[in-house]
Amino acid sequence: MNTVRILAVDDHEMTTLGYKYILEDSEFSGFNVKVEIAKSFEKGKIKIETSKRAIPYDIILLDIQLFSPESKDQRTGIDLGIIARAEVPDSKVVFMSSYSDNFRINNIFKTVNPDGYMVKSEIDEMSLKAMVETISNNSPYYTASALSAIRRRMSSDIIIDEQDQKILYHLSQGIHTRDIAPLIGSANTTVEARKRQLKALFHVKNGNDLALINEAKNRGFL
């Protein structure tokens, strides 16, 4: 019987152990599953690079946040996904994250173009098994929140650049306009000008920032 080899990377070891016990104990048609775990960015990177010289993993499961918020190390599962794409392009990459906001999900698809995305609050035994079966058949797999974010963005006829996207995101986080400029490497006047353009683009020219944020959310940009 064929074996589907999976690497699960998450800084919470109990999470990866949960994936391991559930998947290795599940019954699949025509194959079984072997799950290896890594609880840090470095350990995940080593396992991915080592697999390149041996047998690449069939599926790599990545959490986004691999360090505590207090850590000075800002490397994320997205960075690890980029490494995986370069080192083992035949391995399928699936993100398993608590983040369900459109901004992060769509940014990940633009940066890594993963084969799947599962929001942790929507993960259970059945969805884990369905993910492995679907990915093994060379089809993408998304939980409901991730699929909704993708569809909402695809249905919009509005196109904005990366700087505009960052401005919208920071505004949605409650950051004042004057504090956004240094975060995106622009002048205050540039941020203000871009905000005016965004309000016109989203047809909220006479509205406040909250109206802009709400409209951006409705159209799948946040």
Side-chain angles (χ1 to χ4, degrees):
M1 182 175 290
N2 293 330
T3 298
V4 172
R5 299 177 66 250
I6 297 175
L7 172 64
V9 185
D10 195 304
D11 59 331
H12 295 92
E13 190 172 15
M14 290 302 295
T15 298
T16 52
L17 285 174
Y19 299 156
K20 178 179 177 68
Y21 294 148
I22 290 172
L23 291 174
E24 290 187 352
D25 195 48
S26 295
E27 291 186 6
F28 295 94
S29 178
F31 64 89
N32 55 30
V33 171
K34 176 67 175 177
V35 179
E36 294 184 27
I37 65 176
K39 60 179 181 179
S40 70
F41 180 97
E42 283 299 335
K43 290 180 179 179
K45 181 173 181 288
I46 290 171
K47 283 184 174 290
I48 289 171
E49 292 174 342
T50 300
S51 75
K52 178 183 179 180
R53 300 188 293 270
I55 302 175
Y57 295 101
D58 296 291
I59 303 173
I60 299 173
L61 309 179
L62 299 174
D63 187 18
I64 294 177
Q65 185 171 311
L66 296 177
F67 296 92
S68 67
E70 296 78 21
S71 174
K72 293 182 180 180
D73 198 327
Q74 299 299 311
R75 293 176 298 176
T76 68
I78 300 174
D79 300 309
L80 206 51
I82 293 171
I83 291 172
R85 284 297 190 218
E87 297 294 326
V88 285
D90 290 335
S91 296
K92 306 295 185 182
V93 176
V94 179
F95 282 91
M96 320 281 277
S97 175
S98 58
Y99 295 123
S100 60
D101 59 280
N102 293 0
F103 176 80
R104 283 191 176 90
I105 291 176
N106 282 290
N107 181 59
I108 287 170
F109 274 85
K110 184 168 63 175
T111 306
V112 182
N113 189 26
D115 301 281
Y117 192 107
M118 301 185 75
V119 178
K120 285 184 176 180
S121 62
E122 299 173 324
I123 295 176
D124 56 19
E125 184 175 344
M126 291 183 62
S127 63
L128 274 175
K129 183 177 179 181
M131 178 271 294
V132 173
E133 290 174 332
T134 302
I135 297 296
S136 296
N137 287 322
N138 295 313
S139 296
Y141 185 89
Y142 316 114
T143 55
S145 294
L147 186 59
S148 176
I150 297 166
R151 284 177 170 171
R152 288 171 67 192
R153 174 62 69 87
M154 291 177 64
S155 65
S156 176
D157 57 357
I158 293 177
I159 299 175
I160 63 175
D161 64 20
E162 186 176 355
Q163 289 291 79
D164 286 339
Q165 181 72 72
K166 289 179 179 178
I167 290 171
L168 287 173
Y169 176 71
H170 290 310
L171 286 173
S172 73
Q173 298 301 300
I175 299 175
H176 295 296
T177 302
R178 63 177 179 275
D179 298 320
I180 293 176
L183 294 176
I184 66 172
S186 293
N188 283 334
T189 53
T190 301
V191 175
E192 290 287 0
R194 282 180 173 270
K195 273 179 54 180
R196 289 194 295 270
Q197 292 172 353
L198 284 167
K199 287 177 180 179
L201 190 63
F202 286 105
H203 303 293
V204 290
K205 190 172 182 180
N206 297 320
N208 56 21
D209 289 352
L210 181 59
L212 173 61
I213 292 167
N214 288 336
E215 187 61 27
K217 286 180 178 179
N218 290 336
R219 293 178 178 266
F221 288 88
L222 288 169

